[in-house]
Amino acid sequence: MFPLFDLSLRINGFQMKEAKAELRKIVAFSEKEHEVFVANKKLEIVDFHLQNNPFYQELVGSNNYKNWGDLPVLNKQNLQKPLQERLSKEYSTKNSYVNKTSGSSGTPFIFAKDKYCHALTWASNMYRFGWYGIDFNTSYQARFYGIPMDFIGNKKERFKDFLSHRFRFSIFDLSDSVLEEFLHHFRTKKFDYINGYTSSIVLFAKFLQQKNIVLSTICPSLKVCMVTSEMLFEDDKLLLEMQFGVPIVNEYGASELDLIAFQNKEGEWQVNSETLFVEILDENNQPVPNGTSGRIVITSLFNKAHPFIRYDIGDIGILDEKSTLQNPILKKLIGRTNDVAVLPSGKKSPGLTFYYVTKSIIEDDGNVKEFVIKQTKIDTFEIEYVSEIALNLAQINKIEKAIALYLEPNLNFSFTRKKSLERNNRGKLKQFKSMF
């Protein structure tokens, strides 16, 4: 098959041949060579932006920083200003790749990458997907993503899907009748892999479970499923493996950066150390030891159009104790920093703790398809859920007792059964949200 995907990137000004060659070189470095490479790229990218980017010059305040730790940690609030004010000299919206973050952190913004940096992002994606025998030029993707609903935006996205050799399943309506249509496509098309938002793919797996269907039996070409953008819980992963009949791969990325971590063949979340430098910092911006939780702070080593240097992505995670500079392993992704519930006792708890405890009970009978939790007051939480039958009093009491045991007692809950849950304009489902 003609490499249409690579060609479409090259036509748009992305130097794929050069980017792939550079990535191959970086991957082949010895441990010592990689250490020198990272040290040089850190100095080089900081020096470039101090010389060429007024926004970054103002943020740092001086060209005479002595140590890496002296550099400020960039946060999303810093980026709440027009893109034109954040671009480096010689870069514009016309000669850069420009996009917008999804806003899943609650703070969306427009960002830019120079075209070579974005070519490296694609090279990085291709390299990692290649671990599982997936070639973007030839492998057929079943894509579980949102899609613009306006006519022009929709047609543009469909054309990109054609060039990228993928078929898009729009995830804004996931009723049984629509999932039945999804199933028909798997019966009639030779998909090589599934890629998309975790919650939508899990919902499809639950539909298959109800029908007692293993997807690989009706679509034998299917090799692997990659889930992204939302938390993948262990029991959901087991469900996906059982109902799809293929390996399930968990990826963690950010549109403004790159793939941050990607599950390798050993089942580890291998951090991208080729185009990114990842730190785990405490509340005082000091590095924490491996094995300790902290804020995930990332430097894009190649982006000259826009500085992402010591950029706090808004997530909390832990690097494995055995991590090295060349081979960092993300042991755990705990959640977003703005998804922390502050409880009446003063205790702070990741919002996903509520979700996880509730999930273990609420899905015992397979009745509840999806649910989200919202904190509306310091002691008050709303649980919205989609199910065939409303939760009964015994189930509600069981949930409240579990939360009292794992978190603290005397919290107030309301339960609302809904036909569907609200997703953002890209189709992401925010599983926990604090609203005060």
Side-chain angles (χ1 to χ4, degrees), residues 280-341:
I280 309 290
L281 304 183
D282 64 18
E283 290 178 0
N284 299 312
N285 296 336
Q286 297 301 308
V288 302
N290 289 345
T292 306
S293 69
R295 292 147 52 227
I296 300 176
V297 173
I298 301 178
T299 298
S300 176
L301 296 172
F302 287 89
N303 192 355
K304 292 182 175 178
H306 185 292
F308 284 107
I309 297 169
R310 305 199 86 202
Y311 166 56
D312 187 338
I313 194 170
D315 291 336
I316 302 168
I318 301 172
L319 283 180
D320 197 286
E321 291 85 345
K322 67 182 177 186
S323 295
T324 63
L325 182 66
Q326 187 175 29
N327 190 30
I329 301 296
L330 187 62
K331 185 176 186 177
K332 195 173 184 184
L333 184 63
I334 296 170
R336 304 205 72 89
T337 50
N338 68 335
D339 288 343
V340 173

Side-chain angles (χ1 to χ4, degrees), residues 6 26 41 43 96 103 113 122 205 238 303 316 391 404 419 425:
D6 272 16
I26 297 168
K41 290 305 291 183
L43 287 172
S96 306
K113 294 182 189 177
W122 276 117
L238 293 172
N303 192 355
I316 302 168
L391 292 173
K419 287 186 177 179
N425 60 3

Side-chain angles (χ1 to χ4, degrees), residues 206-217:
K206 289 178 180 177
F207 173 76
L208 294 174
Q209 187 180 43
Q210 286 174 357
K211 298 181 79 70
N212 199 25
I213 292 172
V214 175
L215 198 57
S216 59
T217 61

Side-chain angles (χ1 to χ4, degrees), residues 49-318:
H49 285 297
L50 285 176
Q51 299 302 322
N52 296 283
N53 192 288
F55 162 74
Y56 193 65
Q57 290 165 4
E58 185 182 344
L59 191 72
V60 174
S62 167
N63 285 9
N64 299 318
Y65 76 98
K66 291 181 180 176
N67 302 301
W68 181 257
D70 297 335
L71 293 168
V73 171
L74 179 69
N75 60 46
K76 295 189 180 186
Q77 285 70 39
N78 298 140
L79 304 173
Q80 299 296 302
K81 55 173 63 183
L83 177 62
Q84 208 61 48
E85 296 177 20
R86 293 181 272 123
L87 288 172
S88 301
K89 295 171 189 172
E90 310 300 326
Y91 289 96
S92 69
T93 54
K94 289 189 169 66
N95 66 9
S96 306
Y97 169 78
V98 176
N99 206 341
K100 186 178 182 180
T101 64
S102 68
S104 58
S105 65
T107 318
F109 61 89
I110 295 170
F111 66 89
K113 294 182 189 177
D114 65 81
K115 290 202 168 183
Y116 185 65
C117 175
H118 195 56
L120 274 168
T121 295
W122 276 117
S124 168
N125 274 264
M126 292 172 178
Y127 167 62
R128 284 168 172 78
F129 275 65
W131 295 346
Y132 295 90
I134 299 303
D135 182 333
F136 285 8
N137 286 295
T138 58
S139 301
Y140 195 21
Q141 179 190 145
R143 188 172 182 81
F144 284 69
Y145 271 74
I147 190 167
M149 302 308 285
D150 65 285
F151 181 80
I152 293 174
N154 188 281
K155 294 304 176 192
K156 275 178 70 176
E157 210 62 35
R158 292 291 184 193
F159 183 62
K160 281 163 65 177
D161 287 341
F162 167 74
L163 294 176
S164 304
H165 202 46
R166 62 199 187 202
F167 182 87
R168 186 179 300 248
F169 295 92
S170 179
I171 57 176
F172 295 123
D173 179 359
L174 294 169
S175 56
D176 281 0
S177 59
V178 173
L179 293 176
E180 192 67 58
E181 290 175 24
F182 287 12
L183 189 55
H184 174 73
H185 286 293
F186 277 94
R187 292 186 195 277
T188 56
K189 293 178 171 62
K190 293 184 177 180
F191 291 116
D192 292 287
Y193 66 115
I194 296 169
N195 184 226
Y197 295 155
T198 308
S199 62
S200 308
I201 292 172
V202 167
L203 203 58
F204 183 50
K206 289 178 180 177
F207 173 76
L208 294 174
Q209 187 180 43
Q210 286 174 357
K211 298 181 79 70
N212 199 25
I213 292 172
V214 175
L215 198 57
S216 59
T217 61
I218 63 166
C219 183
S221 56
L222 196 64
K223 296 189 186 84
V224 65
C225 168
M226 282 85 171
V227 297
T228 189
S229 292
E230 299 159 340
M231 293 290 282
L232 175 65
F233 293 95
E234 189 58 35
D235 54 344
D236 284 338
K237 185 178 181 183
L238 293 172
L239 171 73
L240 293 176
E241 286 172 342
M242 184 170 66
Q243 295 308 138
F244 290 171
V246 296
I248 306 303
V249 176
N250 199 359
E251 70 169 50
Y252 167 45
S255 55
E256 66 269 37
L257 295 167
D258 200 332
L259 269 182
I260 299 167
F262 196 79
Q263 191 176 315
N264 62 25
K265 296 297 282 284
E266 287 72 48
E268 300 166 321
W269 237 357
Q270 190 169 324
V271 174
N272 172 1
S273 64
E274 294 85 34
T275 70
L276 304 176
F277 173 63
V278 176
E279 301 173 84
I280 309 290
L281 304 183
D282 64 18
E283 290 178 0
N284 299 312
N285 296 336
Q286 297 301 308
V288 302
N290 289 345
T292 306
S293 69
R295 292 147 52 227
I296 300 176
V297 173
I298 301 178
T299 298
S300 176
L301 296 172
F302 287 89
N303 192 355
K304 292 182 175 178
H306 185 292
F308 284 107
I309 297 169
R310 305 199 86 202
Y311 166 56
D312 187 338
I313 194 170
D315 291 336
I316 302 168
I318 301 172

